[in-house]
Amino acid sequence: TKVNLDNLNGRTPIYKEVGKKYLEQPVFGHGIYSAYTSETFYAWSHNTFLEAASTLGTVGLLALVIHYVEKYLFCF
C-alpha cells in the first residue's frame, strides 16, 4: 500500500525498456504482439501512452492522443 516514488514502485526498469524499444522503431513500432516471449506472458508497460508508443509507434501514439482529445472535448 506504500507508494515508492524513487523507483515508481518498480516500474522504472519497465519504462526504460519501453523507451529503448520505442527508439528502435519510432515510426510504426514493433506491433501489437511484440511483447510476447516464449518465457513469459504478455509484458505490459503499465502505461497506456508508453504501450501505444512501443507497440504502435509515433503513428499509434498520435492516434491515441487525438482519440483522447476528441473524447474529452465531447464529454465537456
Side-chain angles (χ1 to χ4, degrees):
T1 61
K2 183 180 175 191
V3 175
N4 184 354
L5 294 178
D6 293 335
N7 66 2
L8 300 174
N9 284 349
R11 292 186 178 152
T12 303
I14 295 170
Y15 293 165
K16 287 180 182 179
E17 185 66 30
V18 169
K20 284 193 313 188
K21 194 172 184 183
Y22 170 73
L23 291 176
E24 290 173 2
Q25 293 187 0
V27 178
F28 293 110
H30 287 272
I32 294 174
Y33 297 113
S34 64
Y36 282 100
T37 64
S38 60
E39 300 88 27
T40 62
F41 292 107
Y42 189 76
W44 188 58
S45 59
H46 297 281
N47 183 303
T48 304
F49 294 100
L50 290 177
E51 184 71 17
S54 68
T55 58
L56 304 173
T58 304
V59 173
L61 182 60
L62 288 175
L64 181 67
V65 169
I66 290 169
H67 166 71
Y68 269 72
V69 169
E70 287 180 344
K71 178 174 77 169
Y72 289 113
L73 284 177
F74 179 74
C75 287
F76 289 130

